[in-house]
PDB file of all heavy atoms in Angstrom:
ATOM      1  N   LYS I1011      -2.974  -7.242  -5.321  1.00 86.00           N
ATOM      2  CA  LYS I1011      -3.716  -7.439  -6.601  1.00 86.00           C
ATOM      3  C   LYS I1011      -5.073  -8.120  -6.329  1.00 86.00           C
ATOM      4  O   LYS I1011      -5.428  -9.004  -7.044  1.00 86.00           O
ATOM      5  CB  LYS I1011      -2.875  -8.150  -7.614  1.00 86.00           C
ATOM      6  CG  LYS I1011      -1.737  -7.335  -8.074  1.00 86.00           C
ATOM      7  CD  LYS I1011      -0.953  -7.994  -9.140  1.00 86.00           C
ATOM      8  CE  LYS I1011       0.267  -7.180  -9.523  1.00 86.00           C
ATOM      9  NZ  LYS I1011       1.136  -7.812 -10.448  1.00 86.00           N
ATOM     10  N   ALA I1012      -5.746  -7.698  -5.233  1.00 93.00           N
ATOM     11  CA  ALA I1012      -7.057  -8.295  -4.922  1.00 93.00           C
ATOM     12  C   ALA I1012      -8.115  -7.422  -5.562  1.00 93.00           C
ATOM     13  O   ALA I1012      -8.089  -6.208  -5.574  1.00 93.00           O
ATOM     14  CB  ALA I1012      -7.248  -8.315  -3.387  1.00 93.00           C
ATOM     15  N   SER I1013      -9.072  -8.081  -6.189  1.00 95.00           N
ATOM     16  CA  SER I1013     -10.206  -7.304  -6.798  1.00 95.00           C
ATOM     17  C   SER I1013     -11.126  -6.696  -5.707  1.00 95.00           C
ATOM     18  O   SER I1013     -11.405  -7.390  -4.722  1.00 95.00           O
ATOM     19  CB  SER I1013     -11.077  -8.297  -7.642  1.00 95.00           C
ATOM     20  OG  SER I1013     -10.318  -8.805  -8.708  1.00 95.00           O
ATOM     21  N   VAL I1014     -11.460  -5.492  -5.914  1.00 97.00           N
ATOM     22  CA  VAL I1014     -12.279  -4.713  -4.973  1.00 97.00           C
ATOM     23  C   VAL I1014     -13.355  -3.977  -5.732  1.00 97.00           C
ATOM     24  O   VAL I1014     -13.212  -3.736  -6.934  1.00 97.00           O
ATOM     25  CB  VAL I1014     -11.495  -3.769  -4.075  1.00 97.00           C
ATOM     26  CG1 VAL I1014     -10.526  -4.495  -3.176  1.00 97.00           C
ATOM     27  CG2 VAL I1014     -10.760  -2.739  -4.918  1.00 97.00           C
ATOM     28  N   ASP I1015     -14.442  -3.661  -5.029  1.00 97.00           N
ATOM     29  CA  ASP I1015     -15.474  -2.859  -5.589  1.00 97.00           C
ATOM     30  C   ASP I1015     -15.309  -1.427  -4.968  1.00 97.00           C
ATOM     31  O   ASP I1015     -15.131  -1.362  -3.706  1.00 97.00           O
ATOM     32  CB  ASP I1015     -16.864  -3.364  -5.285  1.00 97.00           C
ATOM     33  CG  ASP I1015     -17.111  -4.712  -5.961  1.00 97.00           C
ATOM     34  OD1 ASP I1015     -16.713  -4.824  -7.121  1.00 97.00           O
ATOM     35  OD2 ASP I1015     -17.697  -5.580  -5.337  1.00 97.00           O
ATOM     36  N   VAL I1016     -15.382  -0.405  -5.803  1.00 98.00           N
ATOM     37  CA  VAL I1016     -15.205   0.966  -5.308  1.00 98.00           C
ATOM     38  C   VAL I1016     -16.513   1.721  -5.564  1.00 98.00           C
ATOM     39  O   VAL I1016     -16.937   1.730  -6.748  1.00 98.00           O
ATOM     40  CB  VAL I1016     -13.984   1.623  -5.925  1.00 98.00           C
ATOM     41  CG1 VAL I1016     -13.847   3.013  -5.391  1.00 98.00           C
ATOM     42  CG2 VAL I1016     -12.742   0.806  -5.749  1.00 98.00           C
ATOM     43  N   ARG I1017     -17.036   2.347  -4.645  1.00 98.00           N
ATOM     44  CA  ARG I1017     -18.205   3.286  -4.839  1.00 98.00           C
ATOM     45  C   ARG I1017     -17.689   4.673  -4.901  1.00 98.00           C
ATOM     46  O   ARG I1017     -16.887   5.102  -4.033  1.00 98.00           O
ATOM     47  CB  ARG I1017     -19.167   3.128  -3.662  1.00 98.00           C
ATOM     48  CG  ARG I1017     -20.327   4.099  -3.827  1.00 98.00           C
ATOM     49  CD  ARG I1017     -21.453   3.869  -2.849  1.00 98.00           C
ATOM     50  NE  ARG I1017     -22.240   2.771  -3.453  1.00 98.00           N
ATOM     51  CZ  ARG I1017     -23.268   2.251  -2.826  1.00 98.00           C
ATOM     52  NH1 ARG I1017     -23.628   2.713  -1.640  1.00 98.00           N
ATOM     53  NH2 ARG I1017     -23.926   1.284  -3.417  1.00 98.00           N
ATOM     54  N   ALA I1026     -16.266   4.655  -0.842  1.00 98.00           N
ATOM     55  CA  ALA I1026     -16.162   3.453  -0.036  1.00 98.00           C
ATOM     56  C   ALA I1026     -15.553   2.298  -0.874  1.00 98.00           C
ATOM     57  O   ALA I1026     -15.662   2.337  -2.092  1.00 98.00           O
ATOM     58  CB  ALA I1026     -17.513   3.026   0.518  1.00 98.00           C
ATOM     59  N   VAL I1027     -14.979   1.333  -0.218  1.00 98.00           N
ATOM     60  CA  VAL I1027     -14.316   0.213  -0.881  1.00 98.00           C
ATOM     61  C   VAL I1027     -14.861  -1.037  -0.198  1.00 98.00           C
ATOM     62  O   VAL I1027     -14.814  -1.194   1.040  1.00 98.00           O
ATOM     63  CB  VAL I1027     -12.787   0.293  -0.749  1.00 98.00           C
ATOM     64  CG1 VAL I1027     -12.164  -0.923  -1.440  1.00 98.00           C
ATOM     65  CG2 VAL I1027     -12.240   1.574  -1.293  1.00 98.00           C
ATOM     66  N   ARG I1028     -15.276  -2.057  -1.061  1.00 97.00           N
ATOM     67  CA  ARG I1028     -15.601  -3.281  -0.533  1.00 97.00           C
ATOM     68  C   ARG I1028     -14.457  -4.285  -0.761  1.00 97.00           C
ATOM     69  O   ARG I1028     -14.075  -4.526  -1.883  1.00 97.00           O
ATOM     70  CB  ARG I1028     -16.848  -3.891  -1.197  1.00 97.00           C
ATOM     71  CG  ARG I1028     -17.271  -5.302  -0.693  1.00 97.00           C
ATOM     72  CD  ARG I1028     -18.406  -5.893  -1.447  1.00 97.00           C
ATOM     73  NE  ARG I1028     -19.650  -5.105  -1.296  1.00 97.00           N
ATOM     74  CZ  ARG I1028     -20.516  -5.316  -0.344  1.00 97.00           C
ATOM     75  NH1 ARG I1028     -20.301  -6.255   0.545  1.00 97.00           N
ATOM     76  NH2 ARG I1028     -21.577  -4.638  -0.253  1.00 97.00           N
ATOM     77  N   TYR I1029     -13.937  -4.712   0.392  1.00 95.00           N
ATOM     78  CA  TYR I1029     -12.735  -5.624   0.358  1.00 95.00           C
ATOM     79  C   TYR I1029     -12.919  -6.731   1.378  1.00 95.00           C
ATOM     80  O   TYR I1029     -13.267  -6.435   2.480  1.00 95.00           O
ATOM     81  CB  TYR I1029     -11.448  -4.823   0.587  1.00 95.00           C
ATOM     82  CG  TYR I1029     -10.275  -5.642   0.881  1.00 95.00           C
ATOM     83  CD1 TYR I1029      -9.791  -6.566  -0.053  1.00 95.00           C
ATOM     84  CD2 TYR I1029      -9.607  -5.579   2.068  1.00 95.00           C
ATOM     85  CE1 TYR I1029      -8.656  -7.363   0.200  1.00 95.00           C
ATOM     86  CE2 TYR I1029      -8.436  -6.355   2.376  1.00 95.00           C
ATOM     87  CZ  TYR I1029      -8.027  -7.243   1.384  1.00 95.00           C
ATOM     88  OH  TYR I1029      -6.958  -8.031   1.672  1.00 95.00           O
ATOM     89  N   ASP I1030     -12.704  -7.956   0.983  1.00 90.00           N
ATOM     90  CA  ASP I1030     -12.758  -9.059   1.900  1.00 90.00           C
ATOM     91  C   ASP I1030     -14.117  -9.157   2.586  1.00 90.00           C
ATOM     92  O   ASP I1030     -14.201  -9.452   3.752  1.00 90.00           O
ATOM     93  CB  ASP I1030     -11.593  -8.975   2.861  1.00 90.00           C
ATOM     94  CG  ASP I1030     -11.269 -10.317   3.584  1.00 90.00           C
ATOM     95  OD1 ASP I1030     -11.556 -11.347   2.915  1.00 90.00           O
ATOM     96  OD2 ASP I1030     -10.824 -10.392   4.644  1.00 90.00           O
ATOM     97  N   TRP I1034     -15.301  -0.530   3.632  1.00 97.00           N
ATOM     98  CA  TRP I1034     -14.354   0.386   4.215  1.00 97.00           C
ATOM     99  C   TRP I1034     -14.703   1.794   3.703  1.00 97.00           C
ATOM    100  O   TRP I1034     -14.695   2.026   2.518  1.00 97.00           O
ATOM    101  CB  TRP I1034     -12.937   0.060   3.819  1.00 97.00           C
ATOM    102  CG  TRP I1034     -12.498  -1.282   4.308  1.00 97.00           C
ATOM    103  CD1 TRP I1034     -12.813  -2.533   3.832  1.00 97.00           C
ATOM    104  CD2 TRP I1034     -11.785  -1.516   5.501  1.00 97.00           C
ATOM    105  NE1 TRP I1034     -12.239  -3.521   4.528  1.00 97.00           N
ATOM    106  CE2 TRP I1034     -11.584  -2.957   5.614  1.00 97.00           C
ATOM    107  CE3 TRP I1034     -11.161  -0.806   6.531  1.00 97.00           C
ATOM    108  CZ2 TRP I1034     -10.911  -3.563   6.668  1.00 97.00           C
ATOM    109  CZ3 TRP I1034     -10.528  -1.350   7.517  1.00 97.00           C
ATOM    110  CH2 TRP I1034     -10.418  -2.731   7.611  1.00 97.00           C
ATOM    111  N   PHE I1084      -5.329   2.331   1.650  1.00 97.00           N
ATOM    112  CA  PHE I1084      -5.503   1.371   0.596  1.00 97.00           C
ATOM    113  C   PHE I1084      -4.938   2.049  -0.670  1.00 97.00           C
ATOM    114  O   PHE I1084      -5.240   3.204  -0.955  1.00 97.00           O
ATOM    115  CB  PHE I1084      -6.956   1.074   0.284  1.00 97.00           C
ATOM    116  CG  PHE I1084      -7.680   0.142   1.222  1.00 97.00           C
ATOM    117  CD1 PHE I1084      -7.004  -0.363   2.385  1.00 97.00           C
ATOM    118  CD2 PHE I1084      -8.938  -0.262   0.997  1.00 97.00           C
ATOM    119  CE1 PHE I1084      -7.654  -1.204   3.244  1.00 97.00           C
ATOM    120  CE2 PHE I1084      -9.578  -1.149   1.845  1.00 97.00           C
ATOM    121  CZ  PHE I1084      -8.949  -1.651   2.931  1.00 97.00           C
ATOM    122  N   GLU I1085      -4.186   1.314  -1.442  1.00 97.00           N
ATOM    123  CA  GLU I1085      -3.722   1.768  -2.771  1.00 97.00           C
ATOM    124  C   GLU I1085      -4.400   1.053  -3.787  1.00 97.00           C
ATOM    125  O   GLU I1085      -4.332  -0.182  -3.866  1.00 97.00           O
ATOM    126  CB  GLU I1085      -2.192   1.605  -2.900  1.00 97.00           C
ATOM    127  CG  GLU I1085      -1.504   2.519  -1.916  1.00 97.00           C
ATOM    128  CD  GLU I1085      -0.210   3.052  -2.436  1.00 97.00           C
ATOM    129  OE1 GLU I1085       0.114   2.968  -3.638  1.00 97.00           O
ATOM    130  OE2 GLU I1085       0.481   3.712  -1.654  1.00 97.00           O
ATOM    131  N   LEU I1086      -5.246   1.718  -4.563  1.00 97.00           N
ATOM    132  CA  LEU I1086      -6.085   1.112  -5.622  1.00 97.00           C
ATOM    133  C   LEU I1086      -5.568   1.437  -7.014  1.00 97.00           C
ATOM    134  O   LEU I1086      -4.932   2.502  -7.230  1.00 97.00           O
ATOM    135  CB  LEU I1086      -7.506   1.729  -5.486  1.00 97.00           C
ATOM    136  CG  LEU I1086      -8.179   1.670  -4.125  1.00 97.00           C
ATOM    137  CD1 LEU I1086      -9.432   2.455  -4.054  1.00 97.00           C
ATOM    138  CD2 LEU I1086      -8.429   0.263  -3.711  1.00 97.00           C
ATOM    139  N   ARG I1087      -5.800   0.542  -7.930  1.00 96.00           N
ATOM    140  CA  ARG I1087      -5.310   0.647  -9.302  1.00 96.00           C
ATOM    141  C   ARG I1087      -6.344   0.112 -10.296  1.00 96.00           C
ATOM    142  O   ARG I1087      -6.975  -0.928 -10.002  1.00 96.00           O
ATOM    143  CB  ARG I1087      -3.943  -0.105  -9.436  1.00 96.00           C
ATOM    144  CG  ARG I1087      -3.480  -0.161 -10.884  1.00 96.00           C
ATOM    145  CD  ARG I1087      -2.099  -0.842 -10.958  1.00 96.00           C
ATOM    146  NE  ARG I1087      -2.124  -2.118 -10.296  1.00 96.00           N
ATOM    147  CZ  ARG I1087      -2.259  -3.286 -10.933  1.00 96.00           C
ATOM    148  NH1 ARG I1087      -2.361  -3.315 -12.224  1.00 96.00           N
ATOM    149  NH2 ARG I1087      -2.234  -4.445 -10.235  1.00 96.00           N
ATOM    150  N   ASP I1093     -12.479  -2.420 -16.186  1.00 90.00           N
ATOM    151  CA  ASP I1093     -13.413  -1.782 -15.337  1.00 90.00           C
ATOM    152  C   ASP I1093     -13.126  -2.167 -13.875  1.00 90.00           C
ATOM    153  O   ASP I1093     -13.720  -1.644 -12.951  1.00 90.00           O
ATOM    154  CB  ASP I1093     -14.849  -2.094 -15.706  1.00 90.00           C
ATOM    155  CG  ASP I1093     -15.250  -1.401 -17.044  1.00 90.00           C
ATOM    156  OD1 ASP I1093     -14.659  -0.371 -17.351  1.00 90.00           O
ATOM    157  OD2 ASP I1093     -16.062  -2.069 -17.702  1.00 90.00           O
ATOM    158  N   GLN I1094     -12.294  -3.193 -13.672  1.00 95.00           N
ATOM    159  CA  GLN I1094     -12.087  -3.756 -12.334  1.00 95.00           C
ATOM    160  C   GLN I1094     -10.968  -3.046 -11.618  1.00 95.00           C
ATOM    161  O   GLN I1094      -9.893  -2.801 -12.117  1.00 95.00           O
ATOM    162  CB  GLN I1094     -11.690  -5.245 -12.471  1.00 95.00           C
ATOM    163  CG  GLN I1094     -11.446  -5.941 -11.151  1.00 95.00           C
ATOM    164  CD  GLN I1094     -12.641  -5.973 -10.298  1.00 95.00           C
ATOM    165  OE1 GLN I1094     -13.692  -6.495 -10.736  1.00 95.00           O
ATOM    166  NE2 GLN I1094     -12.600  -5.402  -9.115  1.00 95.00           N
ATOM    167  N   TRP I1095     -11.259  -2.635 -10.307  1.00 97.00           N
ATOM    168  CA  TRP I1095     -10.292  -2.035  -9.490  1.00 97.00           C
ATOM    169  C   TRP I1095      -9.544  -3.095  -8.774  1.00 97.00           C
ATOM    170  O   TRP I1095     -10.147  -4.139  -8.308  1.00 97.00           O
ATOM    171  CB  TRP I1095     -10.965  -1.080  -8.509  1.00 97.00           C
ATOM    172  CG  TRP I1095     -11.409   0.173  -9.147  1.00 97.00           C
ATOM    173  CD1 TRP I1095     -12.587   0.448  -9.712  1.00 97.00           C
ATOM    174  CD2 TRP I1095     -10.539   1.363  -9.400  1.00 97.00           C
ATOM    175  NE1 TRP I1095     -12.519   1.698 -10.229  1.00 97.00           N
ATOM    176  CE2 TRP I1095     -11.336   2.238 -10.067  1.00 97.00           C
ATOM    177  CE3 TRP I1095      -9.207   1.632  -9.121  1.00 97.00           C
ATOM    178  CZ2 TRP I1095     -10.798   3.499 -10.418  1.00 97.00           C
ATOM    179  CZ3 TRP I1095      -8.686   2.866  -9.399  1.00 97.00           C
ATOM    180  CH2 TRP I1095      -9.505   3.797 -10.115  1.00 97.00           C
ATOM    181  N   LEU I1096      -8.208  -2.917  -8.511  1.00 96.00           N
ATOM    182  CA  LEU I1096      -7.385  -3.876  -7.751  1.00 96.00           C
ATOM    183  C   LEU I1096      -6.836  -3.103  -6.582  1.00 96.00           C
ATOM    184  O   LEU I1096      -6.466  -1.944  -6.638  1.00 96.00           O
ATOM    185  CB  LEU I1096      -6.207  -4.316  -8.665  1.00 96.00           C
ATOM    186  CG  LEU I1096      -6.605  -5.081  -9.940  1.00 96.00           C
ATOM    187  CD1 LEU I1096      -5.377  -5.403 -10.719  1.00 96.00           C
ATOM    188  CD2 LEU I1096      -7.385  -6.382  -9.601  1.00 96.00           C
ATOM    189  N   LEU I1097      -6.784  -3.869  -5.459  1.00 97.00           N
ATOM    190  CA  LEU I1097      -6.145  -3.361  -4.269  1.00 97.00           C
ATOM    191  C   LEU I1097      -4.679  -3.800  -4.255  1.00 97.00           C
ATOM    192  O   LEU I1097      -4.403  -4.992  -4.187  1.00 97.00           O
ATOM    193  CB  LEU I1097      -6.844  -3.925  -3.038  1.00 97.00           C
ATOM    194  CG  LEU I1097      -6.288  -3.520  -1.685  1.00 97.00           C
ATOM    195  CD1 LEU I1097      -6.328  -1.988  -1.494  1.00 97.00           C
ATOM    196  CD2 LEU I1097      -7.072  -4.188  -0.535  1.00 97.00           C
ATOM    197  N   ASP I1098      -3.783  -2.801  -4.523  1.00 94.00           N
ATOM    198  CA  ASP I1098      -2.394  -3.123  -4.568  1.00 94.00           C
ATOM    199  C   ASP I1098      -1.692  -3.273  -3.262  1.00 94.00           C
ATOM    200  O   ASP I1098      -0.782  -4.053  -3.082  1.00 94.00           O
ATOM    201  CB  ASP I1098      -1.654  -2.031  -5.439  1.00 94.00           C
ATOM    202  CG  ASP I1098      -1.649  -2.339  -6.912  1.00 94.00           C
ATOM    203  OD1 ASP I1098      -1.971  -3.425  -7.277  1.00 94.00           O
ATOM    204  OD2 ASP I1098      -1.200  -1.454  -7.623  1.00 94.00           O
TER     205      ASP I1098
END
Side-chain angles (χ1 to χ4, degrees):
K1011 294 185 181 172
S1013 295
V1014 294
D1015 295 319
V1016 182
R1017 175 173 279 179
V1027 178
R1028 180 184 295 271
Y1029 167 60
D1030 199 27
W1034 297 82
F1084 284 6
E1085 295 218 8
L1086 308 171
R1087 173 177 52 99
D1093 292 329
Q1094 181 62 57
W1095 283 94
L1096 300 174
L1097 178 59
D1098 270 350

